[in-house]
Amino acid sequence: MRAHVIDALPAPGGQCIALYPDKPIYDIPAVPVCTGRELVARLLEQIRPFAPSMHLSQLVTEVIPQADQSIHVRTSAGLSFVTQTLFIAGGVGAFLPRALALPGIQAFSGTQLHTAPSLPPPGQHIIILGQSDTALEHAIALHQHGGCASITVIHRRDQFDANQATVLAFAALRQDHHVSFIAAQATGFEHRNNRLTALHLATTQGHPLTLPADSLYTYLGLSPKLGPIADWGLNLDHKQIPVDPTTFQTHTPRLYAVGDINTYPHKKKLILCGFHEATMSAHHAADQLRPESAGPLQYTTTSKKLHQLLGLIPDPAST
Amino acid sequence: MRAHVIDALPAPGGQCIALYPDKPIYDIPAVPVCTGRELVARLLEQIRPFAPSMHLSQLVTEVIPQADQSIHVRTSAGLSFVTQTLFIAGGVGAFLPRALALPGIQAFSGTQLHTAPSLPPPGQHIIILGQSDTALEHAIALHQHGGCASITVIHRRDQFDANQATVLAFAALRQDHHVSFIAAQATGFEHRNNRLTALHLATTQGHPLTLPADSLYTYLGLSPKLGPIADWGLNLDHKQIPVDPTTFQTHTPRLYAVGDINTYPHKKKLILCGFHEATMSAHHAADQLRPESAGPLQYTTTSKKLHQLLGLIPDPAST
């Protein structure tokens, strides 16, 4: 059996990477301490022999169980799959760019309002909201490319959560007046003929300010959104998917939910519980799909078949 | 809350130590490969801050739930406990010395037949059955102490599963005829006036042989025995203890069973499942015992209380 992994984030790791990459975790059994990033690196190393196909930076938008028990899956990047079994490990939802909280501004999303770097047409006034590596690197890249009428970075404090070299390069451009920085928060916007024209700000000192804006880039971090999962008919209970606590199957056959997104009596949102749930659901699914090969459990210490899959001894099937 | 750990083995680790200390394990999540011994070392390091009291080399012989919901526990070493909650992590049973399979010989157990080293009275013919470090070290120690009429080690092959230095020291004593080795198997015994007098052997070449025997030491490895657990009224199902699959509680309140010894629908005997079961049962027990402090789950990445317990920051309660 082979697995395809689909995730909204650009890299595998979910909350461990998106929420606490550098925080130490103390309750992974047999790993006295590791950071979120280290945990993900260890898990990726462990699954390497099984070479799952990764389909990243895209949401699963549709999950449609078919009459023949297969499940049709589509993603926001236009991929479509027909699968015999699906595991939802959606955590607290898909990590999507946090939206700018100005009522009505989303009307310009994709035209003048962006959440990922791009090169705007020449002669524009550019405003970048944010304080991350992405925000500063985009400002630097726009200056290097040239042609902007102005480049302004806005964040509520003159302080950046970015790597040292990037912060220094940005500071040099500020000193030479190639880019501007204003410590402020966005409070509103102006538009004319369906075009965004200016952004209203309140500076950290409390002064109102209006800046011309042709293109607005927002890098406000990631925020989890349950997203399309809510539309898949899964009888959600407080945004959680109810499952059988011994198989982790949802009420739809062959559709499983594991990790923080599922619920059952006495559920605990712990990583080690996710390991158990993923394992139990994988065994159940395999036994459902191939009842003829459901036999006694094989152990990695002794099973020749598992040693072949791990690449420890040659696999006659692959020669 | 504090934990007391009771185990029949002389060191913690159970099957990992007793059955496969040197075999690699590949399915501990986030540990791509480790031996049984390494796994136990990692887990002991992880629990060190909680300093559980270890009571080793003894069986739990009695478990008696009381009317006031406490549980009385006694061990083969004479310890007795009154506990509010008990977790049975008995695996495949207690690892006890494998008994010599000669009908009737157990009548001499504890007098002339032993499974642990001791110093016999002077002038005796000593037979040691086995090929482990313990067997060879005992033969060497008896020679060094002196006074035996004869010291003979018996194993079916002239090959030892012991460390190099011990094997070499034993070989030197054989060469100088201080101890004997015979490649053979025990087939019977002689006795007179309720005293064991001789052991019958069949040599690996097929010859019968009779050796005088005053003291017989058997080091035949460990074998799991369910033991007294069968007598605790736990409704055993094929030597397994049925539990609720979300709390891992047995049908007796406050008495839990985790790991290979329990059973529930779709149970898999995997170490990672044991981690989940132990965690879930501990949470359930804690919530039962202290309902007033049952609150939202705290995480090791962020909880001040857990950081105090881990010894990462000072605990005001301990000053």
Side-chain angles (χ1 to χ4, degrees):
Chain A
M1 295 189 182
R2 293 288 312 275
H4 290 266
V5 176
I6 306 169
D7 199 329
L9 288 172
Q15 293 174 63
C16 297
I17 286 294
L19 292 190
Y20 46 87
D22 300 310
K23 282 222 183 83
I25 310 170
Y26 299 95
D27 62 346
I28 304 299
V31 181
V33 57
C34 71
T35 64
R37 198 190 311 279
E38 287 163 353
L39 175 64
V40 172
R42 285 166 165 277
L43 291 167
L44 287 174
E45 182 192 342
Q46 195 161 30
I47 65 170
R48 196 186 309 140
F50 308 103
S53 303
M54 298 277 183
H55 310 284
L56 301 169
S57 302
Q58 55 202 294
L59 274 178
V60 172
T61 49
E62 284 178 29
V63 169
I64 306 174
Q66 305 292 306
D68 68 355
Q69 292 222 306
S70 70
I71 301 172
H72 285 198
V73 173
R74 280 177 189 282
T75 80
S76 58
L79 293 183
S80 77
F81 299 85
V82 178
T83 180
Q84 297 307 307
T85 185
L86 180 69
F87 301 81
I88 303 174
V92 289
F95 283 92
L96 300 176
R98 198 181 299 271
L100 180 57
L102 292 180
I105 202 162
Q106 292 306 323
F108 302 101
S109 180
T111 55
Q112 291 175 276
L113 175 65
H114 310 276
T115 57
S118 62
L119 275 183
Q124 288 202 346
H125 294 284
I126 310 297
I127 296 181
I128 294 171
L129 301 183
Q131 49 94 49
S132 62
D133 278 309
T134 311
L136 302 191
E137 283 167 9
H138 192 203
I140 295 165
L142 288 177
H143 162 71
Q144 287 168 345
H145 186 262
C148 298
S150 69
I151 303 168
T152 309
V153 173
I154 312 271
H155 179 55
R156 64 181 190 282
R157 286 181 306 166
D158 192 349
Q159 207 169 315
F160 306 96
D161 186 14
N163 80 61
Q164 183 81 351
T166 306
V167 172
L168 290 175
F170 180 72
L173 294 186
R174 277 172 74 178
Q175 193 152 16
D176 297 343
H177 305 288
H178 295 307
V179 302
S180 308
F181 173 81
I182 302 174
Q185 281 189 282
T187 54
F189 63 96
E190 294 175 15
H191 57 107
R192 199 168 52 227
N193 301 331
N194 290 326
R195 244 190 96 73
L196 178 69
T197 55
L199 195 64
H200 292 174
L201 304 169
T203 69
T204 303
Q205 283 76 32
H207 305 301
L209 189 68
T210 298
L211 287 186
D214 296 306
S215 283
L216 186 55
Y217 292 88
T218 63
Y219 303 116
L220 305 171
L222 297 170
S223 149
K225 287 256 181 298
L226 195 57
I229 293 175
D231 308 325
W232 299 341
L234 289 166
N235 291 357
L236 294 189
D237 172 14
H238 295 89
K239 298 191 177 179
Q240 311 283 297
I241 304 173
V243 293
D244 175 317
T246 65
T247 63
F248 307 98
Q249 192 167 238
T250 67
H251 73 103
T252 302
R254 299 186 175 186
L255 209 163
Y256 300 81
V258 298
D260 286 5
I261 201 154
N262 77 14
T263 186
Y264 53 85
H266 306 289
K267 165 76 182 179
K268 299 288 175 201
K269 291 187 176 185
L270 290 170
I271 296 171
L272 72 92
C273 297
F275 292 148
H276 169 82
E277 296 166 12
T279 303
M280 297 297 277
S281 61
H283 274 289
H284 188 261
D287 291 350
Q288 298 291 306
L289 294 180
R290 299 193 182 168
E292 73 285 0
S293 54
L297 189 59
Q298 298 199 20
Y299 291 95
T300 62
T301 42
T302 48
S303 162
K304 193 175 159 192
K305 185 174 162 193
L306 290 170
H307 288 180
Q308 285 168 351
L309 287 171
L310 286 164
L312 301 167
I313 57 175
D315 183 353
S318 73
T319 57
Chain B
M1 295 189 184
R2 292 288 313 276
H4 290 266
V5 177
I6 305 169
D7 198 330
L9 288 172
Q15 292 174 65
C16 297
I17 286 293
L19 292 189
Y20 47 87
D22 300 310
K23 283 223 183 80
I25 310 171
Y26 299 95
D27 62 345
I28 304 300
V31 182
V33 58
C34 72
T35 64
R37 199 190 311 278
E38 287 164 353
L39 176 63
V40 173
R42 285 165 164 277
L43 291 167
L44 286 174
E45 183 191 341
Q46 195 160 30
I47 66 171
R48 196 185 309 139
F50 308 102
S53 302
M54 297 279 182
H55 309 284
L56 301 170
S57 302
Q58 55 202 296
L59 274 178
V60 172
T61 49
E62 284 178 30
V63 169
I64 305 173
Q66 305 292 307
D68 68 356
Q69 292 222 308
S70 70
I71 301 172
H72 286 198
V73 174
R74 279 178 190 282
T75 80
S76 58
L79 293 183
S80 77
F81 299 86
V82 178
T83 180
Q84 298 307 307
T85 184
L86 180 69
F87 301 82
I88 303 173
V92 290
F95 282 92
L96 299 177
R98 198 181 301 271
L100 179 58
L102 292 182
I105 202 161
Q106 293 307 321
F108 303 99
S109 180
T111 54
Q112 291 176 275
L113 175 64
H114 309 276
T115 57
S118 63
L119 274 184
Q124 288 203 345
H125 294 285
I126 311 297
I127 296 181
I128 294 172
L129 300 183
Q131 48 95 49
S132 61
D133 278 309
T134 311
L136 301 191
E137 283 167 8
H138 192 204
I140 295 165
L142 288 177
H143 163 71
Q144 287 168 345
H145 186 263
C148 298
S150 69
I151 303 168
T152 309
V153 173
I154 313 270
H155 179 55
R156 65 180 189 285
R157 286 182 306 167
D158 190 350
Q159 208 169 314
F160 305 96
D161 187 13
N163 80 60
Q164 184 80 354
T166 306
V167 171
L168 289 175
F170 180 70
L173 294 186
R174 277 172 74 177
Q175 194 152 15
D176 297 342
H177 305 287
H178 295 307
V179 302
S180 308
F181 174 81
I182 302 175
Q185 282 188 283
T187 54
F189 63 95
E190 293 176 16
H191 58 106
R192 201 171 49 229
N193 300 333
N194 289 327
R195 243 190 96 73
L196 178 68
T197 54
L199 196 63
H200 293 175
L201 304 168
T203 69
T204 305
Q205 284 77 32
H207 305 301
L209 190 68
T210 298
L211 286 186
D214 297 305
S215 283
L216 186 54
Y217 293 89
T218 63
Y219 304 116
L220 305 172
L222 297 170
S223 148
K225 287 257 180 298
L226 195 56
I229 293 175
D231 308 325
W232 299 342
L234 290 166
N235 289 358
L236 293 189
D237 173 14
H238 296 90
K239 297 190 177 178
Q240 312 282 297
I241 304 173
V243 293
D244 174 317
T246 65
T247 62
F248 307 98
Q249 193 167 237
T250 67
H251 73 104
T252 302
R254 299 186 174 184
L255 208 164
Y256 299 83
V258 299
D260 286 6
I261 201 154
N262 76 14
T263 186
Y264 53 85
H266 306 290
K267 165 75 181 179
K268 299 288 175 201
K269 290 187 176 184
L270 291 171
I271 295 170
L272 72 93
C273 297
F275 292 149
H276 169 82
E277 296 165 11
T279 304
M280 297 297 279
S281 61
H283 274 288
H284 188 261
D287 291 350
Q288 298 290 307
L289 294 180
R290 301 193 179 167
E292 73 285 1
S293 55
L297 189 59
Q298 299 199 21
Y299 291 96
T300 61
T301 43
T302 49
S303 162
K304 193 176 159 191
K305 184 175 163 195
L306 289 171
H307 287 180
Q308 285 168 352
L309 287 171
L310 286 163
L312 301 168
I313 56 174
D315 182 353
S318 72
T319 58

